[in-house]
Amino acid sequence: MTSQSLTDTPVTSRSSLKPIPVAFNGRGGEYFGIWIVNIALTVLTLGIYSAWAKVRNKRYFYGNTEVAGASFEYLATGGQILKGRLIAVAVFVVFSLLSSFISPEVYGLFMLAFMAAMPWLINAGLRFNARYSAYRGVRFRFTGTYWAACKAFFLYPLLGMITLGIMMPHAMHYAARYVVTNHAYGNKAFKFDATVKQYQSVVLGLVIGIIASIALIAIGFSQASIAMIAVGYLAIYGLSLAFKPLLFNVYWQGVNLQKNRFEANMPVGRFIWVFISNSIVVALTLGLAFPWAQVRLAHLNANSLTFLHAGNLGSIAASQAKEMSAVGEELGEVYDVDVGFGI
Amino acid sequence: MAAFNTRQTLTMTQTFSAHFYPEGFADSQTVTVLLDASGWLSFQAFDKKYRCPFNQVTVSDRLGRSPRFLTLPELGRLETRDNDFVDRALRHFGHQGKRTLWLPKLERAPLWILGLLIVVVVTGWATYRHGIPAMARVTAPLVPDKIRELAGKEALDWMERGWLTPSQLSEERQQALRGAFDRHFGDQLTGLNVRVLFYNSDAFGANAFALPDGTLVFTDQFVALVNEAEFLAVAAHEVGHVRHDHGIRGIISSSALVAATLLITGDSEALSEIIVTAPYALAQLSYSRDMEREADTAAMELMQAAGLDRQAFASALRKMVDSHGVSEDGASRAWEEYLSSHPATDERIKRFE
């Protein structure tokens, strides 16, 4: 492990940023042991241990992610998660039971209330996660508001759909910016300088690719060439997978904090290969290769990032933070509401 | 780096290397930490001397080779990869952090991992094979009929939108079939809300199915293919589905399967990133095959009670196989799907011969 001298003076020009590769040090075999013990204890305790298992899984991926010599810490406790999870499951069960006894009108009202709570759930999840994530002993924070989350996750995507996708790049940009700029590390907020144009070119590239593939399939049908049809379908599948690495690169290059930033270049072909081979191996082993697949993906994510250090991290101060409950986060998980910081 | 044996007492001063993060700032310095025999940690950072009793330090649990975090109250945090040293120190000084040392040991012991893997696979298999179906069987009667109606109506609406068109059969033919159905099975349907519907469907071809609310759907193509005895035999099979509440049980068991998997793997985020749909699909298919077998058994009983020849079911199945095997259009694909959710047809035919 290299030690960084981090008390040096801040630098301003981009060329003087010091590139430090982001590293992931986990190993599939090692994580398998942790994962299987987690599952065994979860089964033996009839699910109760799952809260501690979640913490251990998260801590494994945090602790093995190294940026500039320091690792990430996940600080939530199993007890906290269990409490949140129990309340969330109770709410879920009551809601599901109620829904079969009440009239459709009341049920509709319930659904509306639930829809209205969605932005709050997303925020609660992000807030909890940030609050209990730390780097160099300093915690993260999330300060997004209800109304901004409404716009980021519902109104703008809706607008994107109404305009047949023309506004979609704007919506994607807004959502990413919302998530990034409302995160803070200690007392300093993150900034996001990816442009709508970058999102537009990603979307445009994919749309052109898909149109070309459809054309290829059409020509394939007219000439009865199965090879052409197959290539067309494969191309569409590949393009849909290419979306993630392309967005990953735009997103992480846009994230910055006090002039510290990231270089991101996830190779599209490599991502598609990892994704497809992971899926096949996990399916063939009936899920047993899941830890290996997860570690492999974490390696790819980390290897695609380079931290550009401005040398001023040491001046960032921690900010006061109150303890908070995991109910919102766990409710979001029960209903599968999930917005990751890293997309 | 530390270099003393587990058994040896800490008589001399020991050191380990760490990163120090002072309280309140994201600053960092590499330090060499001294742990002396009286249980005090001391090191020098940022031109200052730091000292803290080891027993007041909170130590994070060991987790593979990932670094440990030592929280020094009011002073800051130490991050070290010298996991073995930390473990020995915890034991030596009777630190409360030693209580959880068994867990990381378990996670690294190949024999324990193998043993627990067997426990997980066996309980997983038993839950999936017996636990979940049994749970579905017990809980299905608790589901109010209103849900059955809703699910049945939903399913029918959905199919009417894409695959079913109004039946071309004459009213007399429909009445004749319904009459035969009622004559033979009427007295055995008490408590079941069974109704017989006919639809034309090029997509499904010759086919019949039961919906959760007790609606039995037969396609015109099916009616054209079979004689009355064969129609009744397949109808008995569909009544078997209704009698055993297979629609609701299927919904319960598939959602229980998803919920259990999510709880166990515990990470919906990663799950959505990596497709694990293939094992799911296989599992659902095997539930569905079990239910087909159960419906076949019910059909045998129903036909016996109604005084029907059960050979008719075998010949109906054979006719359906032939009809789907020959056609070259979309129907053959539907048939493949149908096949995979049903047990091997030969095996089923044998049961009825």
Side-chain angles (χ1 to χ4, degrees), chain A residues 267-283:
Chain A
V268 173
R270 172 100 189 118
F271 173 81
I272 293 175
W273 158 244
V274 167
F275 185 88
I276 292 176
S277 54
N278 267 0
S279 307
I280 292 171
V281 173
V282 168

Side-chain angles (χ1 to χ4, degrees), chain B residues 235-246 294-296 298-299 302:
Chain B
H237 169 88
E238 302 307 332
V239 169
H241 280 311
V242 176
R243 176 182 273 179
H244 288 293
D245 208 359
H246 283 158
E294 210 172 37
D296 281 356
L302 275 166

Side-chain angles (χ1 to χ4, degrees), chain B residues 202-281:
Chain B
D202 291 326
F204 290 143
N207 222 328
F209 38 86
L211 300 179
D213 60 347
T215 302
L216 308 186
V217 175
F218 298 89
T219 61
D220 292 358
Q221 288 77 356
F222 172 74
V223 173
L225 187 71
V226 296
N227 60 36
E228 193 183 278
E230 288 159 348
F231 166 78
L232 288 172
V234 171
H237 169 88
E238 302 307 332
V239 169
H241 280 311
V242 176
R243 176 182 273 179
H244 288 293
D245 208 359
H246 283 158
I248 292 297
R249 273 166 56 186
I251 294 171
I252 294 177
S253 44
S254 53
S255 28
L257 192 67
V258 173
T261 318
L262 275 182
L263 181 71
I264 284 171
T265 52
D267 195 350
S268 53
E269 203 175 334
L271 215 89
S272 55
E273 282 212 38
I274 297 169
I275 316 165
V276 283
T277 45
Y280 271 149

